[in-house]
Amino acid sequence: MNFLDREFFNFHSNKSIEERAAIFNRHGRIFDMIFSQQFNRPTLERLFEITNALRHISKSKEGCDFLKGLLSHKKAMLYFAQPSSRTFLSFQNACHILGMATSEIRDTSVSSEVKGESFDDGLRTFSSYADLIIMRHKQANSAERAAWLLNSYSKRPVPILNGGAGSDQHPTQALLDIYTLHKSFEKSGGIDGKTVLFCGDLKRGRTVRSLAYLLKNFENIKMIFAAPKFFQMNEDVLQFLENHNMPYTIETESLKNVLGQADAIYMTRIQDEHDTATGESACVDIEQFKLKIADMNFVKPNAAIMHPFPRRDEIDVEIDSDPRAKYWRQERNGMWTRAALIAYVFEVENKILNHTTT
Ligand code: NCD
């Protein structure tokens, strides 16, 4: 352990997540986006409004030109040390919508990490060139470490946005998921009071973990976790739900047993990149935890079917044309909600909300 490892260890292990989250906020606003516990209901509602306004303004050329002027003086760095299609492309396009120039490292085999450069030195280097760092990394607390490092030891504490940290959190995915739920239930009483069913690899799926935490901001939510025992939700999330009096049930036999209760069905793939050399995922039978076209009769007529993607065969492709399938829209919502978050972090959201298209 070097000096920074020790300091980070002390910071990380002696403080609750709320205390740690506090250093990533400035003046009551999110600065670094590290955990989904940083979001509160007013901030989420504000982000929904910004997202709606961005979508509306971008319908005209005049609107797109206006948006491009908002952050044309800022540069973003996308540091993606794990595979990504949607998160990378939606963030990159979100930056471009707001006029930001972007640079990227997508493969650590072409960065100085190969020459033995430390994570910390790499991050400080990126912050020399960019005004914002968006990152994905296989380590669970990578984004937190980066934000802690820049806030504590760098003269250029640029905001860090977590685009996926190991099997722990993926808060901007939770943001686009919650926006998708908000739009899906706009005409049926909103997200409050809904039952959200999570299915698949709940143990190692960072998207389900972040979304479960985020749902704390809504009233009377029920959650159902459907997965074989091996892939069930971890104790830390379940403990969080219990501490916040958020009811949940666990289903380990079959998705079909609980399908009819759900207002939202959030499917995920098996995250076998986290397997050990024994390839333990392949030994678990997940056949009963796939959404089949024949099961659609059991699904509520106004349910929202979601998936963070990529999918394998958890959802039959025949379901894609069912109006309850929201995953393609969800994917596109990612670009708009991420643009909204960036606009919020750079405090240009009032310009967006006050803009009237001609
Ligand atoms: C997810 C991820 O990377 O955690 N993908 C995404 O960002 N949309 C889910 C996954 O890889 O299964």
Side-chain angles (χ1 to χ4, degrees):
M1 269 202 184
N2 68 18
F3 166 74
L4 290 172
D5 294 335
R6 279 194 301 278
E7 290 289 295
F8 182 64
F9 180 81
N10 287 336
F11 165 76
H12 191 267
S13 50
N14 295 334
K15 290 188 169 61
S16 69
I17 194 148
E18 287 74 18
E19 288 172 305
R20 278 144 57 208
I23 83 150
F24 305 128
N25 296 342
R26 303 253 169 110
H27 317 295
R29 290 172 65 95
I30 292 166
F31 180 78
D32 303 293
M33 173 74 282
I34 310 299
F35 318 110
S36 63
Q37 290 93 323
Q38 283 172 265
F39 288 116
N40 58 29
R41 181 98 178 226
T43 308
L44 287 174
E45 283 170 0
R46 184 84 168 157
L47 288 164
F48 294 166
E49 270 179 61
I50 307 167
T51 306
N52 289 339
L54 282 170
R55 291 175 62 182
H56 179 72
I57 295 168
S58 69
K59 287 192 189 341
S60 71
K61 179 175 185 318
E62 179 274 328
C64 289
D65 292 343
F66 159 76
L67 293 175
K68 278 203 171 63
L70 289 177
L71 293 175
S72 52
H73 56 308
K74 299 283 182 193
K75 299 187 291 298
M77 160 80 195
L78 292 111
Y79 170 49
F80 275 61
Q82 267 192 318
S84 175
S85 299
R86 274 150 290 271
T87 307
F88 180 86
L89 287 173
S90 62
F91 260 125
Q92 189 184 43
N93 282 290
C95 290
H96 295 169
I97 287 169
L98 298 168
M100 296 180 92
T102 53
S103 52
E104 67 199 54
I105 288 182
R106 295 207 63 176
D107 178 357
T108 51
S109 71
V110 297
S111 79
S112 282
E113 263 179 73
V114 179
K115 301 187 206 167
E117 182 159 62
S118 69
F119 175 84
D120 299 324
D121 286 357
L123 260 297
R124 286 188 72 158
T125 304
F126 304 151
S127 75
S128 310
Y129 303 121
D131 306 291
L132 170 70
I133 297 173
I134 301 160
M135 61 176 282
R136 164 173 288 195
H137 200 278
K138 64 175 187 304
Q139 288 296 334
N141 47 28
S142 50
E144 181 178 1
R145 167 96 178 215
W148 166 84
L149 175 82
L150 297 187
N151 281 310
S152 319
Y153 291 101
S154 161
K155 294 208 166 60
R156 275 185 60 80
V158 306
I160 301 280
L161 304 183
N162 179 3
S167 54
D168 184 30
Q169 284 241 8
H170 193 351
T172 64
Q173 176 72 41
L175 176 64
L176 75 93
D177 292 339
I178 211 82
Y179 177 77
T180 305
L181 289 169
H182 165 72
K183 294 307 270 185
S184 302
F185 301 136
E186 216 164 23
K187 297 195 178 79
S188 55
I191 300 174
D192 295 323
K194 298 292 189 288
T195 297
V196 182
L197 162 57
F198 294 94
C199 181
D201 191 342
L202 312 179
K203 184 190 175 84
R204 303 172 298 184
R206 54 193 175 195
T207 66
V208 286
R209 292 171 54 78
S210 285
L211 184 55
Y213 286 129
L214 195 58
L215 284 165
K216 164 183 161 281
N217 293 294
F218 297 85
E219 305 290 325
N220 302 320
I221 299 293
K222 286 198 205 73
M223 292 186 216
I224 305 172
F225 299 119
K229 261 205 181 77
F230 182 80
F231 294 122
Q232 267 299 338
M233 190 53 108
N234 265 329
E235 200 46 47
D236 57 346
V237 174
L238 300 180
Q239 194 58 58
F240 174 92
L241 301 181
E242 281 163 32
N243 293 347
H244 292 91
N245 294 321
M246 296 165 70
Y248 66 83
T249 54
I250 292 196
E251 168 60 44
T252 56
E253 295 301 317
S254 167
L255 171 60
K256 234 198 257 174
N257 290 345
V258 284
L259 212 44
Q261 300 170 30
D263 299 297
I265 300 164
Y266 194 98
M267 302 296 295
T268 62
R269 84 179 159 90
I270 301 304
Q271 313 275 311
D272 42 20
E273 65 271 37
H274 298 294
D275 277 2
T276 61
T278 46
E280 55 272 31
S281 298
C283 307
V284 184
D285 181 6
I286 52 159
E287 211 37 49
Q288 297 308 313
F289 295 92
K290 294 181 178 172
L291 187 58
K292 309 261 172 58
I293 184 78
D295 303 335
M296 288 305 285
N297 300 330
F298 301 105
V299 175
K300 284 190 184 179
N302 295 316
I305 299 169
M306 295 166 62
H307 195 307
F309 273 24
R311 83 174 141 181
R312 288 175 181 164
D313 59 353
E314 312 73 57
I315 302 181
D316 276 353
V317 289
E318 291 94 318
I319 296 173
D320 293 7
S321 51
D322 189 299
R324 290 168 288 185
K326 304 290 183 204
Y327 28 90
W328 300 110
R329 195 168 308 174
Q330 183 186 357
E331 186 172 85
R332 194 162 166 77
N333 287 342
M335 179 178 73
W336 297 115
T337 48
R338 286 172 171 136
L341 180 64
I342 295 168
Y344 173 88
V345 165
F346 285 104
E347 301 190 28
V348 292
E349 82 264 28
N350 282 331
K351 293 187 184 165
I352 295 171
L353 294 170
N354 295 335
H355 180 80
T356 44
T357 39
T358 48

